[in-house]
Amino acid sequence: MPITGQTNPELFPLYYERKLLQYVKENLVATRYGQNASLPPHSGRTITFTRFEPLPPRTTPITFQPTPATSNTISTQQVSATVEEYGDYIELDEFTDMTSFVPLVDNAVDLLSYQAQRSLDAVAMRVLTSGTNVMYAGGVNSRDALDGTKLITKEDIKKAVALLKRNLIQPFPDGYYVCLIHPDKVNDLFSVQELLQLAIAQSSYMESGVVGRFAGVKFVETTAMPVVQNATNKDVYMTLVLGMNAYGVVNIDGNTLRMEMTNLDKLGRVKTIGWKAYFACVRLYEPALIRIESN
């Protein structure tokens, strides 16, 4: 008689599912700075975000004048994204787990949680770095002109900030824009002494991944930022400077991210433990996302 798969959720401690969800929610960079939207059950595979156009400045005084007869209007556009399913699993032999010197299930959950966070961040960053609003370090005008010596500089950051302000892009509630940057590039922007000073300055306000603030920007390092090669085989690093409502992302909760355990045989001797996620990321407002490419 063929052996069929059987799932027994009651045998899988809720502790592990909570552990996965807590780790990913605390460390997933993509969901921190985007417009989050929930994915209700039985709502289809398409999720919709709302894009808001900035209001123009109003410079005419109204003192001693009637209230303007016509009000301003909120200009919006609906942007949709298709939710995809992601996941991975580890196959475990129950006897090996019981006789192992280390708790394999617990370690498997740690490994899978870390993988889930990295996977979803990578999916999001692939989308966020695919736009057309791009600057190149060193004053060049193409990716292939990055010859290996064109490092990102503070001037590049200042130019990106000036462009965001010119486009009326709103900073985040703390007053800062956000720069998502690969750890390899942090030392190109800041000396060791500057990093120490930045760490001291923000010692009273710690935020995961934030390495410092400069020119109205807080810098968040993440290895999810893509590194590609150009036509001359030089490494090209992607750096993003962004403002409020630049992109949308599916909110991570107990419905969109799950840890599962499945029995593979009748005696439960071989099990799989894995994660699955329903996730999507979409660019909402191109002027609010500036990509800087550098060596």
Side-chain angles (χ1 to χ4, degrees):
M1 184 174 180
I3 297 175
T4 59
Q6 182 182 0
T7 302
N8 295 296
E10 68 278 7
L11 300 180
F12 186 52
L14 188 60
Y15 161 77
Y16 292 122
E17 187 160 326
R18 289 176 176 170
K19 189 175 184 180
L20 167 76
L21 188 59
Q22 180 180 356
Y23 180 86
V24 174
K25 291 185 72 172
E26 289 180 356
N27 294 279
L28 189 63
V29 174
T31 53
R32 293 185 205 167
Y33 307 111
Q35 185 184 123
N36 280 250
S38 298
L39 181 66
H42 316 298
S43 60
R45 295 186 59 181
T46 300
I47 191 165
T48 302
F49 301 88
T50 302
R51 190 183 86 182
F52 293 90
E53 298 282 351
L55 294 175
R58 177 81 75 168
T59 59
T60 303
I62 61 173
T63 308
F64 305 119
Q65 296 183 28
T67 300
T70 58
S71 68
N72 221 319
T73 59
I74 297 177
S75 178
T76 64
Q77 181 178 346
Q78 303 297 310
V79 181
S80 298
T82 301
V83 177
E84 301 288 355
E85 187 176 14
Y86 303 90
D88 201 0
Y89 68 94
I90 294 173
E91 195 171 279
L92 291 175
D93 176 352
E94 186 179 60
F95 183 70
T96 302
D97 180 36
M98 290 185 63
T99 57
S100 172
F101 290 103
V102 295
L104 292 184
V105 171
D106 205 55
N107 280 275
V109 171
D110 288 342
L111 289 169
L112 290 164
S113 299
Y114 182 47
Q115 183 200 32
Q117 176 260 312
R118 288 169 48 232
S119 300
L120 299 182
D121 261 338
V123 169
M125 297 312 164
R126 188 170 61 219
V127 172
L128 299 182
T129 57
S130 64
T132 57
N133 198 7
V134 58
M135 298 168 46
Y136 300 97
V140 301
N141 57 12
S142 71
R143 178 179 295 179
D144 291 341
L146 296 170
D147 60 5
T149 65
K150 303 299 188 290
L151 305 180
I152 191 170
T153 65
K154 293 186 179 71
E155 288 303 313
D156 295 321
I157 300 298
K158 289 180 180 179
K159 289 178 183 178
V161 170
L163 189 56
L164 289 174
K165 290 180 176 179
R166 193 180 310 135
N167 289 324
L168 304 179
I169 303 303
Q170 183 181 352
F172 288 87
D174 60 4
Y176 288 91
Y177 295 111
V178 167
C179 176
L180 304 180
I181 187 169
H182 195 284
D184 291 351
K185 298 292 98 186
V186 172
N187 289 332
D188 291 342
L189 281 176
F190 304 108
S191 66
V192 174
Q193 185 62 33
E194 286 175 323
L195 287 173
L196 287 172
Q197 292 173 347
L198 290 169
I200 294 171
Q202 68 172 13
S203 60
S204 60
Y205 176 76
M206 300 299 292
E207 183 178 346
S208 177
V210 176
V211 295
R213 293 169 172 79
F214 169 78
V217 178
K218 62 181 178 183
F219 293 83
V220 181
E221 64 175 10
T222 170
T223 54
M225 295 308 299
V227 183
V228 300
Q229 286 197 324
N230 62 12
T232 60
N233 295 320
K234 298 295 190 299
D235 285 339
V236 176
Y237 287 82
M238 309 290 178
T239 301
L240 280 177
V241 184
L242 54 93
M244 279 279 289
N245 292 316
Y247 66 96
V249 67
V250 171
N251 187 42
I252 294 299
D253 55 31
N255 293 319
T256 56
L257 179 67
R258 300 285 300 274
M259 182 72 78
E260 302 285 354
M261 178 178 279
T262 304
N263 293 335
L264 294 185
D265 63 21
K266 296 294 185 181
L267 296 179
R269 295 168 55 247
V270 181
K271 295 181 174 66
T272 64
I273 179 172
W275 63 273
K276 63 181 180 184
Y278 309 122
F279 192 69
C281 179
V282 62
R283 305 168 67 86
L284 296 181
Y285 192 50
E286 194 68 22
L289 276 162
I290 300 176
R291 182 174 81 252
I292 304 173
E293 298 192 6
S294 66
N295 294 126

